[in-house]
Amino acid sequence: MHVYNQVVFLVVGFLLINITASMSPYERMIKRESTQGLYGPNDKVIIVTAANIEKVVFNNPKATFLEFYNAYCGTCQRFSSVWKEVGTSIAPWNSIVEIAAIDCASDENNAVCREHEIMRYPTMRYMPPNYQKGKKQIGTNLDHLNLPTFDDLLDEITIRLVNETEGGPSWPNFDNFDGNNWKDVFNEASLDTKFVYIVNDNLLGYLPQQVVLDHINVERVDVRIVDGEFRLIPDKSFKLGVVDPKGDFKTIPVEIELREEFSEAISNHLKQHHLLVATTESPPKENDVLENGTDSAADLLNRFFYDKARSMKPMPLFRADLEQAIRNTLNHEVIQRETISGESLSALRNFVSVLARYYTYGNKNSYKKLLDYLMEPSVIEVNGSDLQTFLKNLDPPIVHESQYIGCFSTQAGKRRFPCSLWSLFHHLTVQHLESEDNEDPMEVLYAMHGYISHFFGCSDCAKHFKEMAKRNNIWNVTSKDQAVLWLWSAHNEVNQRLAGDLTEDKNHPKIQFPNDDFCHACRKSNGDWDKQEVLEFMRRHYGNSHINDMGLDQPRALKLNARARQIFAGGANNTHLHIGILAYVVIIICLMVVAVKFYFRRGYRKKLYHHDLLGKV
Ligand SMILES: Cc1cc2nc3c(=O)[nH]c(=O)nc-3n(C[C@H](O)[C@H](O)[C@H](O)COP(=O)(O)OP(=O)(O)OC[C@H]3O[C@@H](n4cnc5c(N)ncnc54)[C@H](O)[C@@H]3O)c2cc1C
């Protein structure tokens, strides 16, 4: 290789290694942003991901109740407290059952959510013990529960466990004891059993079975259920009793029919007999929370953009948010569908063609390729995983992966995608208004309605949106101005409904938009909206001319101020430092070798021969 080429090769290699090493905190930040779920390491809910599902759910001798949720969906956020409460409440049952959750808003779980054909969030599935991975093995749907309460769930879980036939020999015995004498009850218990507690089957609901489950991990104790009319019981109104190894039965008073009361009564009885309530509860599985709050460089960088965005008054529209919306719609929500056909295929085609026409920053060639792929007349069905591969191979991609800026939130599950989606559709209605195209004033609203109805991961939001669209006569919009204002007004209606809701980020309260900070002239002196001013404001705020590019590129390429550079440089972790040092050492050695070679070659050339002086003969 020519010496010059070698030098170029080394310098490029040097730069590449350094860029790769320094990109990582940024990439990790993006990854973390998309993986902040609703459950943390302190919850008694196992966090399932594509990486651990094989271990946690498949071939597990325990039963699993798995919630498929979407971190940004308000209903899921509200429901998460119920799921956590269930996890805590049935922790004593954890040798036979687990409460788990998987976040379908996280890119890494796309394939799992698609394979399990999740159409709405939250979706709960029951996976029996020893559940095997395989085609159409997607667990049993618990859709009939439809946003269950804590009590509904506890009953459902109990019923499933009681009726489970795959549990094997260690499964608790829920059958009524029907022996001839009390001593027989020990024949069906483990050898070291000291006391067998007897619960009356006539108790409320599934309480007897739950008392059994509450004590499956208590050492030297067994709990059995008997029929209220059981012949060996003198007092048919008893709630709880105990049989000792001699076969003597005694009732234990319990005031209220509550699980806690039974646990306390049994625990007190054990204490009286100097037995500690030792449990053999399986240790909780370690939750696989990705980089949960540990990545200081990423946190600081996020914070930097976020603070900078918030310091802009009024906050502009960020292109990075729009690109995140596009990336999430296509590369996440759409490809999570197992198959796309009929109305949903038409909705997808409309959505992509509206993007191609009015989102002017996307890559035109890639849009064209995608549209050709979707519009092919012979195509009547698109497979989600095929589309995923197609999008992955699109070079360049329609939009590049970026991060949320104006839609960022410091709280998990808040803002981000739904915020960016609203912004995208407002932007598209305004771009449509600014365009020469006068054919169909409903074009963008129609595409939005289709997208939300068929693909938006927040099923309840989609339901509310469709109801609102009907109520507010979306199909009566007759001009592009009206389309912009229809969406503005609809969004305000949603803001009003959600103001003060649990899903609200307190740093970004749901206001009637635009408030005074954004547009003073938008309100008349009597407080009513001045629609003409609102329209002008929307054109300014959501138009291309005021769009802000912050955060779109690698931080290195941004004109960051000294503070940001300091943050970023200070954030590299040890691995990156080591890669950097190694790269420097290797490159310096190589450069020295090249320099020596270069020097000797020059020396060799300097030597003069006769023919150099006389010319070749
Ligand atoms: C179509 C749709 C329907 C939804 N329905 C529900 C639902 O039923 N229940 C639920 O819990 N969540 C729903 N959501 C989510 C919810 O509306 C918010 O998007 C989410 O809570 C995040 O709120 P945010 O504070 O980031 O602001 P968002 O409401 O997402 O707004 C994003 C940005 O748009 C701007 N903006 C605000 N209001 C307007 C306006 N009127 N016109 C123009 N720009 C505006 C502001 O700059 C704001 O920061 C829905 C989302 C979408 C896209």
Side-chain angles (χ1 to χ4, degrees), residues 78 415 419 422 426 464 488 491-492 495 497 510 542:
R78 284 175 219 112
R415 309 199 73 228
C419 167
W422 276 121
H426 287 302
H464 293 149
W488 157 76
H491 191 170
N492 268 344
N495 291 345
R497 180 157 44 85
K510 311 250 184 238
Y542 284 105

Side-chain angles (χ1 to χ4, degrees), residues 391-406:
L391 288 168
K392 212 167 136 196
N393 293 334
L394 261 189
D395 189 20
I398 286 178
V399 291
H400 286 279
E401 176 135 12
S402 60
Q403 60 179 309
Y404 294 108
I405 303 279

